[in-house]
Amino acid sequence: MWGVARPQPLVVREDGRVARAEGRPTGRLRRVEEVERAPGLFVVLEGPDGAGKSGAAASLVAALRAAGHEVTPTREPGGTPIGEALREVLLRAGVVERSGLADALLFSAARAELVQEVIRPALARGSIVVSDRYATSTTAYQGYGSGVPLDQLLLLERITTGGLRPDLVVLIDVPVEAGLARRGVAAGGETRFEEAFDREFHERVRDGYRAMAAADPTRWRVVDGTRSEADVARDVVAIVTSRLTAARTRASEVGRTG
């Protein structure tokens, strides 16, 4: 995606764990790019701080469940005991300063556990997974924001997720000033990223999100987050519902021709 030189092949075992291939993968090993997707749908909500992702995610989960779907909501960092412990380390305001690479490694450790323990099993049983952030957040914050080379982050993503990418990413876009103002008055106040990082950092993060969305319009959808919470939630639900309808249509066509 980013034009990075191809690394030594990685493989994913049957249990979802990633290993480095020695020569050509054989037996029960498969290349990351060849791993088959499970039957569920993987939806990620992304956006800069104060965009309103959490509220939109909750509305989406409620709407999907009301329509009779099995839904697995989760968040990053978090979603598992290890992930929630790392969330406290990563987001708590007033902690010691860390490098962007250190942050990327910590976020990725939480993500590896989440993918293996929550996301893959949910997709395997046909659930719709709705995640508040995913690897795209690390690309935006630690890549575009903190300057960690994107090729390093791409390799790290492949290792920690086994090549698992979302079917749909909904970016709730909001100007930096408005988003930070929202976070400042929200219950719970600021996280470390609002407290310790300047406005220029957050502008780079927002630019990174918009660049990723522009580069992959099939997977990404952008919603104007400056409107009311209800309007944003309505648009998010409509986008996901449309994707579900399209997926059912494709499955029906395959069934008729199979």
Side-chain angles (χ1 to χ4, degrees), residues 47-210:
D49 289 286
K53 301 179 313 309
S54 298
S59 296
L60 174 61
V61 169
L64 291 172
R65 285 177 171 166
H69 297 287
E70 179 190 344
V71 186
T72 302
T74 191
R75 66 178 183 174
E76 281 211 6
T80 67
I82 291 175
E84 292 298 328
L86 286 170
R87 183 182 183 88
E88 174 68 13
V89 171
L90 282 159
L91 301 186
R92 186 177 69 245
V95 300
V96 65
E97 183 177 354
R98 289 188 298 271
S99 69
L101 180 57
D103 273 338
L105 292 168
L106 289 169
F107 277 113
S108 296
R111 183 171 306 123
E113 191 75 2
L114 182 66
V115 167
Q116 181 169 310
E117 299 298 326
V118 177
I119 298 178
R120 284 193 183 277
L123 293 174
R125 64 176 183 265
S127 181
I128 301 172
V129 176
V130 176
S131 183
D132 182 350
R133 298 196 183 279
Y134 189 57
T136 34
S137 280
T138 298
T139 302
Y141 279 80
Q142 284 68 58
Y144 286 93
S146 294
V148 178
L150 297 180
D151 59 342
Q152 293 182 13
L153 294 179
L154 179 58
L155 179 58
L156 187 59
E157 177 185 340
R158 288 175 176 170
I159 294 170
T160 57
T161 69
L164 180 64
R165 301 180 68 196
D167 299 290
L168 175 65
V169 183
V170 181
L171 170 60
I172 303 176
D173 183 44
V174 64
V176 169
E177 185 173 353
L180 293 180
R182 287 178 182 177
R183 289 293 300 168
V185 300
E190 296 182 333
T191 70
R192 167 175 161 261
F193 284 93
E194 290 100 24
E195 177 193 70
F197 291 81
D198 59 22
R199 176 171 176 169
E200 287 70 26
F201 169 86
H202 290 283
E203 292 286 0
R204 293 193 299 272
V205 168
R206 186 190 183 205
D207 289 345
Y209 274 127
R210 290 158 70 97

